[in-house]
């Protein structure tokens, strides 16, 4: 455990974004995770994504459960709102916060134990309700914080550090997210920031439930031969179906790609992402095909990464229940107490 505070003095020539902030303004406390933990690379990708998106840090709420992964919000976006909830309960706390104040960007950070075991029910409902958020699972196939037990995402046949073979079928969270109705589903690898940062940026801009499963090796308990969540295994079996280029405004796209190798995706506020297709046949707007593709590649031992599915016409929970555009926590007494005549009208409508 380190108690060292980060120095407050910044180098005067650090690059600044459009708001005048540097990377340091998006960082958090010094990490206490094991050196080499994949989770730290994800924190660094999150810092870069929000810096490059020019998001004011006070507009972000980061929420997590319990685990090494759920500790990470302490290590990024130190000037944002934060809530470290109970094991597996982040989604319901996030849902409540998102309903109360629709003006914030919600970032849920969880682990494979947190989301695929104790929190599986919460994971399912937050996605099927279309809560407007980015939900990141830092997936290492083990319960890192409690010393490396297999989690529900560990592949059948994979080996623990002590050589025990996992006999249970794995839960593929990306596949589950697809079947639950998430409108943005992606998989990344903590060792591939070039792919992960644009995925995070596009997920932030997406309206609705955006889920990213990030394979994130645990160097202490799950980075050996026989593991399918180790750095070596993922590097050797990474089947990236596409790469994103995030277009920050309505600018025309100037990149020079061979015809047929790109696909332009539109996000709700007019922003676009340019998708470089690495697998020419993969179409991330076809949800049913995506499920079949993931299943087939998993059977072949491959780890499919990239943008797996996007619904360009997505809506969110606020659209579904018709909440007012003013955040509920900003409504005044007159809005909240409309009087007996209004109440009588509501009652009459229910008779
Ligand atoms: C209600 C409850 N049950 C069990 C625990 C013990 N516990 C703490 S973290 C954890 C699993 C963490 O695994 P994961 O979510 O994969 O995070 P990682 O540490 O691997 O990043 C467990 C079982 C707990 N803290 N609270
Ligand atoms: S135990 Fe594993 S998951 Fe936890 S900090 Fe160490 S390497 Fe990361
Ligand atoms: Mg884990």
């Amino acid at each position: 455990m380190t108690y060292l505070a980060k120095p407050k003095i910044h180098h005067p020539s650090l690059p600044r974004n459009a708001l005048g902030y540097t990377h340091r303004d998006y960082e958090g406390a010094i990490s206490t995770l094991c050196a080499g933990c994949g989770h730290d690379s994800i924190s660094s990708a999150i810092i870069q994504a929000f810096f490059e998106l020019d998001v004011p840090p006070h507009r972000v709420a980061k929420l997590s459960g319990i685990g090494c992964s759920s500790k990470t919000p302490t290590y990024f976006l130190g000037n944002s709102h934060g809530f470290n909830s109970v094991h597996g309960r982040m989604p319901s706390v996030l849902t409540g916060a998102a309903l109360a104040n629709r003006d914030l960007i919600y970032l849920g950070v969880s682990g494979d134990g947190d989301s695929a075991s104790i929190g599986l029910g919460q994971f399912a409902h937050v996605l099927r309700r279309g809560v407007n958020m980015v939900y990141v699972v830092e997936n290492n196939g083990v319960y890192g914080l409690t010393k490396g037990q297999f989690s529900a995402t560990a592949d059948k046949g994979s080996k623990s550090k002590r050589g025990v073979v996992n006999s249970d079928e794995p839960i593929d969270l990306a596949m589950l997210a697809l079947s639950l109705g998430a409108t943005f589903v992606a998989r990344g690898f903590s060792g591939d920031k070039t792919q992960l940062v644009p995925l995070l940026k596009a997920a932030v801009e997406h309206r609705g439930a955006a889920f990213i499963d990030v394979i994130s090796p645990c160097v202490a308990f799950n980075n050996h031969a026989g593991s399918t969540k180790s750095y070596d295994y993922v590097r050797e079996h990474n089947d990236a179906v596409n790469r994103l280029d995030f277009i920050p405004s309505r600018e025309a796209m100037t990149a020079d790609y061979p015809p047929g190798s790109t696909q332009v995706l539109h996000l709700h506020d007019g922003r676009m992402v340019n998708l470089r297709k690495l697998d020419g046949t993969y179409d991330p707007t076809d949800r049913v095909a995506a499920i079949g593709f993931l299943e087939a590649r998993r059977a072949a031992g491959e780890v499919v990464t990239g943008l797996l599915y996007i619904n360009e016409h997505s809506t969110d929970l606020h659209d579904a229940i018709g909440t007012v555009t003013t955040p509920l926590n900003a409504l005044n007494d007159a809005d909240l107490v409309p009087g007996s005549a209004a109440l009588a009208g509501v009652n009459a409508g229910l008779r």
Side-chain angles (χ1 to χ4, degrees), residues 184 242 244 247 253 263-267 270-275 283-285 307 309-310 312:
F184 180 109
N242 50 43
L244 302 187
I247 316 292
M253 275 167 292
Q263 186 174 355
V264 178
L265 299 167
H266 295 269
L267 302 174
R271 295 189 188 206
M272 296 176 286
V273 289
N274 199 21
L275 196 74
D283 177 6
T285 63
L307 177 62
Y309 174 66
I310 185 168
E312 294 172 87

Side-chain angles (χ1 to χ4, degrees), residues 56-63 73 76-84 101 104-107:
H58 69 272
R59 285 211 50 239
V60 184
K62 44 181 185 161
L63 297 98
F76 59 77
L77 299 176
N79 295 313
S80 299
H81 306 277
F83 196 100
N84 186 207
N101 185 358
L104 298 180
I105 295 167
Y106 290 92
L107 174 61

Side-chain angles (χ1 to χ4, degrees), residues 1 12 58 69 110 114 145 162 178 194 200 206 234 241 268 286 302 308:
M1 187 86 181
H58 69 272
S69 35
S110 180
D114 199 60
L145 190 72
R162 290 172 56 219
L178 284 169
T194 315
L200 284 163
H206 178 77
V234 182
V241 287
H268 78 277
D286 185 341
E302 298 292 318
L308 306 175

Side-chain angles (χ1 to χ4, degrees), residues 73-97:
T74 304
Y75 314 134
F76 59 77
L77 299 176
N79 295 313
S80 299
H81 306 277
F83 196 100
N84 186 207
S85 74
V86 183
H87 198 21
R89 270 58 168 191
M90 174 275 284
S92 53
V93 180
L94 189 153
T95 304

Side-chain angles (χ1 to χ4, degrees), residues 33-34 37 39 68 140 144-145 218-221:
L33 303 185
C34 307
C37 175
H39 299 352
C68 299
N140 51 21
L145 190 72
C218 168
V219 291
F221 300 110

Side-chain angles (χ1 to χ4, degrees), residues 286-305:
D286 185 341
R287 190 173 69 94
V288 176
I291 291 174
F293 184 86
L294 280 191
E295 187 61 56
R297 300 312 296 155
R298 185 170 72 87
E302 298 292 318
V303 182
V304 178
T305 59

Side-chain angles (χ1 to χ4, degrees), residues 16 18 21 70 78-79 85 114 122-123 141 159 170 178 194 207 227 269 277 284-285 309 312 318 331 343-344:
R16 291 179 185 276
Y21 292 133
S70 291
N79 295 313
S85 74
D114 199 60
Q122 299 233 344
F123 172 82
K159 282 192 185 147
L178 284 169
T194 315
R207 181 194 198 127
S227 159
D269 63 350
K277 296 176 133 205
T285 63
Y309 174 66
E312 294 172 87
H318 285 286
L331 293 176
L343 184 60

